Amino acid sequence: MKVLANFEDNLKIPTNSRIDDLLNGGFEKGTVTQIFGPPSSGKSNLTLFLAVTVAKTGKKAIYIDTEGGISIDRIKQIAGDDFTDVANNIMVFEPTSFQEQGENIGAIELWLRKNHDSTDVFILDSAVALYRVDDMKSSRLNKELGKQMGKLSKIARSYDIAVVVTNQIYNSFDDEGNNDIRAVGGMVLQYWSKVIIQLERGEETDQRIATLKRHRSIGEGRQVVFRITSRGIS
């Protein structure tokens, strides 16, 4: 028998930041959360902060860095005096092609079969960076993207892990010339992402705005404002 109050607490990973207010407690386990926004909107800062938060609890955080931009110095800043313990609990993969990205996800899935109890979060930053530079035909790319996202969704549900993917944006103009900001990956990423958060820069240099675009139990449009700091986010 499960005690519902305790069970509810174990369904989410708190960040002890305003993001918890946005998500009613933190990032959900067992589902895929997509974070999208323009460059320098805070996507990598937020996911690194989440990875360090998990690692500090003694749990494993898996991090696929597709843009080669993960900063050890930034992790040291966020982790502070706990850096050594944190570093031992973050597994980093750096694929150089979209195909290798898929191979990494497959290898991680095999590893999780025996190690899922020690793992809380799986981060893919960014899901489409290598997709956009790959020379495969668009139909094959979309098929491979769907395959990867399906595997991530299966990992989240099978092993009760929070899967978080970051995504880029592009500008789309309608017939009347109106500008519409959209996430890359189209319906493929949208279908598999059960929670979607949009990040934007605020008026001040370190200020960011997070808007909830999709959630199964929270209304669309909820917003919080947070800041990028030397210790992560606040």
Side-chain angles (χ1 to χ4, degrees), residues 35-69:
I35 303 171
F36 76 93
S40 301
S41 58
K43 302 185 295 295
S44 293
N45 268 292
L46 179 52
T47 52
L48 279 177
F49 183 74
L50 175 61
V52 170
T53 299
V54 166
K56 281 186 174 182
T57 69
K59 290 279 194 172
K60 298 290 185 185
I62 300 170
Y63 202 106
I64 296 183
D65 172 27
T66 65
E67 297 182 284

Side-chain angles (χ1 to χ4, degrees), residues 34 127-128 145 149 165 167 184-193:
Q34 178 189 163
V128 298
L145 180 61
M149 291 301 298
V165 301
N167 194 9
V184 177
M187 295 302 296
V188 177
L189 273 175
Q190 185 174 341
Y191 173 80
W192 291 107
S193 304

